[in-house]
Amino acid sequence: MSLSLYLHFPFCRRRCIYCDFNTYAGSKLIERERYKNALLVDIRSNNFARVSTVYFGGGTPTFLSSSWLAEILGCVRQNFSLDDGCEITVEANPGTLSLQDLERLCEAGFNRLSMGVQSLDPELLKRLGRIHRRQEVFQSVEWAKRAGFKNINLDLIYGLPGQSLISWQKTVRGVLSLEPQHISCYALTVEEGTPLFDGLDKGLWSLPAEDEVIKMEHWLNANLRKCGYEHYEISNWCKPGYSCRHNLTYWKNSPYLGLGAGAVSYINGWRYGRIKGYLDYCQAVENGASLYDWAERLSLDGRWREDLILGLRRKTGVNVKRWLKRVPGQFRDNLRETFKILIESIPRELYHFDGSRLRLSRRGRELSNEVFVRILE
Ligand code: SF4
């Protein structure tokens, strides 16, 4: 069995106002080198037989030099057996990349680049605290293509403070002109404790009205479809054959191993997380201490709710019949009954169910949170 491998890089040049990820601004070069060395030790002490996807995520992995990233990927290759055609992604921010960096990353074997664009509106980029300018997005994508990347994802966010429908349309049109293979679009979520949350609370900015956000979503869906993108997951579109195999591992609730500060793993029904703070993580590695911060075993009940929610995020939905077959016999009837009650509680126009496969309708995708809340209840 192959698993997916995630490596976390908890560093950014500056923190964006909406971000609540495990990442730190203002780290020193010497600390980043210490982290790189700790991560190499973590990789060496975790070798599994086969890996189908590798994902360098963050934070901003490309805040580390491309030669360090190549060294880390080399270490992964020495300690894990990578499947043929293994998808190897590196997340990057425009403005942290040169043509030479991109060439080095491509040579090292990274074959997918995922760039955090978020918006092409200069005012919004400034408001969000992003480090890049609009022009750097175009430049970085052009360099990435020239360097040899043939699988590029661009991340966008909508529903931003002060964002209009017109600004969103300009951003999407600009991104489409770059012809990426994959586009991820997330509706903004406001997390407590972020500068965005405080700013909204103090009235510094305001969010677009709900019907304006719905218009953004509708416009996006219609236009991406028109341009040949497949809406294969609630927030993700791709050209045929370019779905993100790494993220599909999460949506299928398949096993994955996370290395680095705060990284989460899911193996044999156990989910566990490594120490979150990067200096504490380094210290634990250097002292040969345990790297785990928490662990939980998923109950059957928790597991089926998760499988349903994650599966329904995908266009293909969940094969309920097959899923029930995998459940131990003594629980099957009970679960079948619970599923029936659940399905009856969801408005009919939100899903399609043919007796074996359950999937969200187009309307259901727009109101997916409503369905997920019912599953959790
Ligand atoms: S670049 Fe990404 S990870 Fe870094 S602060 Fe901004 S949103 Fe967070």
Side-chain angles (χ1 to χ4, degrees):
M1 182 192 63
S2 317
L3 51 67
S4 286
L5 177 64
Y6 174 82
L7 289 99
H8 191 67
F9 295 83
F11 306 107
C12 287
R13 194 179 292 162
R14 191 164 68 204
R15 206 175 172 97
C16 306
I17 62 163
Y18 56 88
C19 180
D20 77 332
F21 296 155
N22 182 28
T23 189
Y24 304 85
S27 61
K28 298 191 183 85
L29 181 64
I30 193 165
E31 291 174 336
R32 297 199 290 277
E33 184 168 22
R34 185 179 170 198
Y35 182 79
K36 186 250 309 177
N37 291 332
L39 189 56
L40 291 173
V41 174
D42 200 358
I43 294 167
R44 287 189 197 112
S45 46
N46 274 283
N47 37 22
F48 280 74
R50 282 175 53 204
V51 164
S52 55
T53 66
V54 180
Y55 197 101
F56 281 39
T60 309
T62 49
F63 195 33
L64 266 61
S65 71
S66 49
S67 54
W68 280 2
L69 295 175
E71 181 186 349
I72 296 166
L73 182 57
C75 184
V76 167
R77 285 189 194 285
Q78 279 164 13
N79 291 275
F80 295 85
S81 159
L82 270 50
D83 286 352
D84 286 346
C86 181
E87 177 188 276
I88 307 175
T89 305
V90 59
E91 280 184 353
N93 270 322
T96 58
L97 297 164
S98 66
L99 174 59
Q100 204 186 24
D101 288 329
L102 287 156
E103 284 170 345
R104 220 175 277 151
L105 292 171
C106 220
E107 262 163 42
F110 290 95
N111 51 29
R112 187 171 183 273
L113 183 73
S114 178
M115 250 195 281
V117 173
Q118 319 315 358
S119 175
L120 290 177
D121 181 326
E123 268 309 303
L124 282 178
L125 287 174
K126 225 185 285 164
R127 191 168 306 152
L128 296 176
R130 300 290 305 181
I131 57 166
H132 67 269
R133 284 170 295 131
R134 175 190 161 87
Q135 204 39 45
E136 282 168 315
V137 174
F138 291 90
Q139 180 74 91
S140 299
V141 174
E142 194 210 311
W143 281 341
K145 288 182 184 173
R146 214 189 303 166
F149 279 99
K150 294 187 171 52
N151 189 354
I152 299 174
N153 167 60
L154 302 179
D155 275 350
L156 297 176
I157 307 180
Y158 59 95
L160 295 167
Q163 188 178 36
S164 65
L165 178 61
I166 292 180
S167 153
W168 174 237
Q169 290 170 335
K170 278 190 189 160
T171 286
V172 176
R173 282 197 189 105
V175 160
L176 285 170
S177 75
L178 293 168
E179 300 183 336
Q181 285 71 23
H182 192 284
I183 303 177
S184 300
C185 296
Y186 300 97
L188 176 73
T189 47
V190 181
E191 304 291 349
E192 221 174 315
T194 58
L196 173 64
F197 182 92
D198 297 339
L200 290 169
D201 202 37
K202 288 183 193 137
L204 287 182
W205 314 292
S206 59
L207 295 176
E210 206 182 317
D211 59 339
E212 188 80 348
V213 177
I214 291 173
K215 277 187 207 157
M216 291 180 194
E217 227 168 72
H218 283 175
W219 189 87
L220 174 81
N221 292 346
N223 282 274
L224 261 49
R225 216 175 304 123
K226 229 189 282 167
C227 293
Y229 287 87
E230 186 193 338
H231 193 182
Y232 74 102
E233 197 270 347
I234 286 179
S235 309
N236 289 278
W237 285 257
C238 69
K239 289 282 176 151
Y242 286 96
S243 54
C244 175
R245 285 193 272 135
H246 184 84
N247 286 341
L248 279 169
T249 302
Y250 300 136
W251 300 320
K252 287 180 182 166
N253 228 354
S254 299
Y256 52 88
L257 174 68
L259 304 180
V264 174
S265 303
Y266 179 50
I267 294 169
N268 293 334
W270 280 88
R271 188 159 292 150
Y272 49 93
R274 277 169 163 63
I275 296 166
K276 204 170 166 200
Y278 74 92
L279 291 175
D280 293 338
Y281 165 84
C282 290
Q283 202 170 4
V285 172
E286 289 154 7
N287 295 341
S290 166
L291 301 184
Y292 303 117
D293 188 32
W294 57 271
E296 63 176 10
R297 178 149 183 88
L298 289 188
S299 65
L300 182 63
D301 185 58
R303 173 80 200 257
W304 89 266
R305 286 171 204 271
E306 245 187 26
D307 281 352
L308 265 188
I309 291 177
L310 291 169
L312 286 178
R313 293 190 63 90
R314 290 183 289 139
K315 187 183 177 186
T316 48
V318 185
N319 189 326
V320 180
K321 223 172 182 177
R322 198 182 305 154
W323 192 91
L324 278 169
K325 268 192 199 149
R326 294 205 311 262
V327 173
Q330 69 268 36
F331 303 113
R332 207 172 291 148
D333 286 344
N334 238 343
L335 267 185
R336 196 176 283 119
E337 212 35 50
T338 315
F339 178 75
K340 230 172 107 193
I341 297 169
L342 166 74
I343 217 71
E344 279 161 11
S345 77
I346 302 174
R348 193 62 198 87
E349 73 273 17
L350 300 188
Y351 67 91
H352 302 293
F353 184 51
D354 60 8
S356 81
R357 191 169 283 280
L358 176 71
R359 57 192 179 83
L360 292 180
S361 62
R362 202 172 280 174
R363 182 88 184 119
R365 282 173 172 218
E366 285 165 15
L367 299 174
S368 56
N369 281 342
E370 200 176 295
V371 177
F372 298 158
V373 165
R374 279 175 209 244
I375 295 173
L376 288 172
E377 278 167 358

